[in-house]
Amino acid sequence: MYEDIERVLVTEEEIRAKIKEMGEAISRDYAGKELVVVGILKGAALFTADLFRQITIPATLDFMRIVSYAGTKSTGVHRVLLDLEYELDNKHVLVVEDIVDTGLTIRFLMDYLKPRNPASLRVASLLDKPSRRKVDVEIHYKGFEIPDEFVVGMGLDYNEKYRNLREICVLKPEVYTRQG
Ligand code: IMP
């Protein structure tokens, strides 16, 4: 796998330290509240697991799976493949994403979940690519801002590969021509 990597953008240590910080902030902010953490599959599965372990207050865990019709590039046309198991009424909901790119997925999720009457609805994202934003979305807990490059690792994939890399990495250009 590592032979396909051009460079590491964020190391495993940096990721671990940041997730611990995010967990502490979330634990402080939601103390005494009913917190529901909603991981967005599949990209945020690994980040959600690591972040959830760093939350030190009682919280429940649920998952959604969303697909966007355009494969790797987001079009803003989304479909829910797996919905939440539990109601959100009066719960404090934290949506956990791997990366906010155009912002269209988060916008879709906010519009989809708001009518379920959560007490609050916020977003935590491991990565943020602000240069590609198409719609304005608020990220309440943010890991790392990255430049406009396609990245893999820590749950993020290219054609379903590289999710199990422990770092956030940029692939060699020939990988895209080889597999794309
Ligand atoms: P958005 O709707 O454009 O904000 O895109 C969000 C989704 O696109 C993420 O949850 C990822 O699944 C995917 N995505 C965006 N940028 C990347 C990337 O650099 N690597 C892997 N997946 C990405």
Side-chain angles (χ1 to χ4, degrees):
M1 241 178 352
Y2 281 90
E3 67 274 12
D4 291 346
I5 288 165
E6 175 144 294
R7 63 183 205 286
V8 172
L9 269 191
V10 190
T11 67
E12 190 179 356
E13 277 64 41
E14 289 170 323
I15 294 168
R16 192 182 304 130
K18 182 67 79 178
I19 294 177
K20 189 163 187 290
E21 253 175 51
M22 294 171 87
E24 284 165 1
I26 291 163
S27 305
R28 264 196 314 274
D29 294 353
Y30 289 94
K33 294 177 175 164
E34 252 191 281
L35 172 62
V36 181
V37 173
V38 175
I40 307 303
L41 300 173
K42 293 186 244 179
L46 279 66
F47 172 49
T48 303
D50 287 353
L51 182 64
F52 198 70
R53 257 190 293 251
Q54 296 298 334
I55 293 174
T56 53
I57 57 168
T60 58
L61 180 60
D62 211 338
F63 289 96
M64 287 183 77
R65 181 149 182 230
I66 312 288
V67 287
S68 111
Y69 281 110
T72 53
K73 288 248 157 52
S74 190
T75 50
V77 183
H78 294 82
R79 194 154 63 97
V80 176
L81 283 192
L82 173 74
D83 210 330
L84 296 171
E85 188 176 351
Y86 301 108
E87 305 295 320
L88 298 180
D89 294 281
N90 303 317
K91 304 273 170 63
H92 293 270
V93 176
L94 182 62
V95 171
V96 179
E97 255 292 25
D98 51 355
I99 185 166
V100 180
D101 185 22
T102 62
L104 291 167
T105 303
I106 287 297
R107 169 61 60 82
F108 169 81
L109 280 165
M110 296 292 106
D111 292 345
Y112 189 79
L113 296 176
K114 236 176 240 162
R116 299 189 187 182
N117 299 316
S120 69
L121 184 56
R122 287 182 166 183
V123 175
S125 183
L126 178 63
L127 302 174
D128 180 18
K129 241 192 246 181
S131 53
R132 295 208 355 123
R133 203 71 94 247
K134 283 188 183 154
V135 291
D136 200 25
V137 290
E138 196 176 349
I139 308 171
H140 303 85
Y141 303 96
K142 190 193 294 190
F144 302 92
E145 259 187 38
I146 60 164
D148 182 8
E149 285 190 275
F150 193 82
V151 292
V152 293
M154 258 305 280
L156 290 108
D157 74 308
Y158 173 63
N159 286 348
E160 291 299 328
K161 280 178 73 184
Y162 310 105
R163 290 192 199 273
N164 50 334
L165 289 172
R166 292 163 174 261
E167 305 86 358
I168 302 295
C169 305
V170 177
L171 293 172
K172 289 178 181 164
E174 61 260 33
V175 177
Y176 301 108
T177 45
R178 204 196 313 143
Q179 297 176 26

